[in-house]
Amino acid sequence: MPRPITGGFATVYKLQCPQRTWAVRCFLRPFHDHERRYAAISEHLTRLRLPYTVGFTFLRDGIRVRGQSYPILKMEWVQGEPLSAFIEKHLGNRSALLSLARRWVEMVKALQKASIAHGDLQHGNVLVADGQLWLIDYDGMYVPALSGEGSHEVGHRNYQHPLRTEADFGPHLDNFSAWVVYVSLIALAVDSRLWHQFSGGDECLLFRRRDFEQPETSDVLRSLGRHHDEAIRSAATVFKSLLYLGPRDLPSLDGQVPPPAVPSATTPSADKNWLEDHIGPGPRTPAVYTTWGGSKGGNLTVSTPADPSWILDVLLPPDGSPLVSFSNSAALERIVFAVSAILIAMPLNVVAQDLWPLSVLSLILVNLTLWVCRYRSDDSVRRFRDLASKVRQIENRIRDAEREIEAANREKTARRNYNAAEQARLAKELKALEAKEKSEIDAYQADLHSTLSSIAARRRAVNQQQADALRRIQNDIGLKVAALNGQISALNQAETTELNQALQAKQQRHITDYLRQFGLDRATIPGIGPAFKERLIRSGFHTAADIDFYRVQRMHGIGPARARSLADWRRSLEGQARRTMPSALSHSEEATIRARYEGRRRTLEQQGNSEQQRQRREEDNVRAQYRLLMEQLDQEEKLANAKTQTAIRDLRAHYAQQYRAIREKESELARDTASRLQEIDERIAEARRKLFSLHWERAKAEWKLWPYVGIRFPKYVKRIFLGSKPA
């Protein structure tokens, strides 16, 4: 199994085949439009055939895992080293890194010309092979066919604008990362120690995201801005000015600003001032991405350089550039100086002694005047002064633009302070109004609570009066009804008892009659022979009904054993008798008994019913009487609630108008503030674009001044005495 290289979007495997080697990308997240995007990218790259891209094939069902098919991307394998590794390998090799910087500019220019944006230019996606730059990983690439869509990624955080989102997707996408890499290359070409000082190679070249978010506290930018080398300071100044622009306003490496995009729901309108809003008003060196030209304070026009590689020369002058020398001959100055020296050396007797100091001073002034006139009339000096004047004009315009930005920022701060003060005033007014409304509503509710409490107390009193009246009725009639019910219950109990006793007597007679059918003389009883039977009969025990254990036991000679035998004989016959005894009285027997109780019970029930009816009538009268009182209280409570609700509703309607008025003021204030701030932001953005262009123009003008480093008046005087070759 090949060892994978895992990124944020896919895992890459190196697959070696007999004919060639492939990079197989297995995606970590599914996207519904993978195939369509790669088809558009493939068609565009195949048609243009740029020398920086490699061929690839998108396979919809490229790999199967546990029966499920997944897409893969098969890309040609480039045998090169990552950009960071190449830079680290060539640290200290100025020419190699400068050459790489030039090739970087050429590649970025080629991509822009082809309307392509890689989307994630960083050290891991740029390979260097035999001096050639190769781009890999096209997951976030933009081509014209994808215009109007969003991106599925936002690129490496150490190379992308902090405010870049998935909505930022267009030909401008690489502008920021191109500057990050380019400035890093320039700085490392001049001073390789920066690589180790700022941990280059640790997921970055020099810069990290925090440097973009907080440029004023960035150690990298501070070090570059204070570097002893003018090239690094210039590069840092230009790059730092870029950090004050939004992702869509960034210029390309040649200073060209992308066309303004129409703001959408996914594009924040405050991009132009994102850094100012993030850390407060920026320094006096913001930037914009257009190359502008024109007269001081006048209309600006766009200037398009023919080749963006000139930026490299502006920021880093090449070694061995020819220096401009003075064009005039110094012969006249030397002759005049020689004559003046001779006159000064003449004996005092030739010149009056009192005139000699004046003569010396006059000769010196004559020579100085000649030198100044001749210096100023020199063509090289005139060209130098024209360039220096242009630089001063640009610097004056820079100061004007900075003052304009500062004034706009002050105006913006003042407007925000005014808005905050007005918002606070309106909030305070709204809070006071809410407190006043609440106080009045609380007063209504307090009155209602007092009224309801009084009604509740009266309702409790009425309930108590009703309960007392019902209790009196219960104590009077209820006791009578209870007594009658008690008599009826006693009568019913007596009737039941008599019925049970009659049934028991009937059953007992049946058992006795059954036992009398079995004479002792005919019975076979263990231990009881004829003699004992005879004795028992003489003692009155003729049948089983006469047998009683205790009576029999008391007879002489019988004993307990024979008494138990006789008792067992009787119990056996009793059991037989019980199985046949009647279980209920006959209808006539039961009717006879019930008839004796029915009359008395009916009389008591009639008396009880009469008393209960009287009790109900009196209770209903009491309840009806107090129901009227309760209904009056309910109506009074309902009216109190309705009155309070109406008063509160009217009160809220009254205050709602005042709330509406305050909210309308807040909305109007917000709209006015937003409009004013937008207008100020537009002015600031325009001034920043102007300021960036002026910095740009100053850099070019200062580069043109560099060959005139020797065109200075002291150098001119030195040439008179020591001589030099004319230009």
Side-chain angles (χ1 to χ4, degrees), residues 684-718:
I684 291 175
E686 181 65 23
R688 283 176 172 168
R689 282 192 289 270
K690 178 180 177 181
L691 188 59
F692 175 80
S693 68
L694 291 173
H695 278 295
W696 193 277
E697 293 297 328
R698 183 178 64 179
K700 292 197 297 182
E702 288 177 345
W703 165 246
K704 293 178 182 179
L705 275 176
W706 184 82
Y708 292 86
V709 66
I711 306 300
R712 302 292 187 274
F713 186 72
K715 296 283 187 180
Y716 186 84
V717 175
K718 182 179 179 181

Side-chain angles (χ1 to χ4, degrees), residues 39 101 159 189 291 510 593:
Y159 291 83
T291 302
H510 173 80
I593 294 172

Side-chain angles (χ1 to χ4, degrees), residues 523-550:
T524 301
I525 304 171
I528 305 299
F532 282 105
K533 289 180 180 180
E534 184 64 26
R535 290 176 61 187
L536 289 168
I537 291 172
R538 286 198 302 270
S539 297
F541 298 100
H542 299 283
T543 64
D546 300 327
I547 299 299
D548 180 83
F549 175 78
Y550 295 103

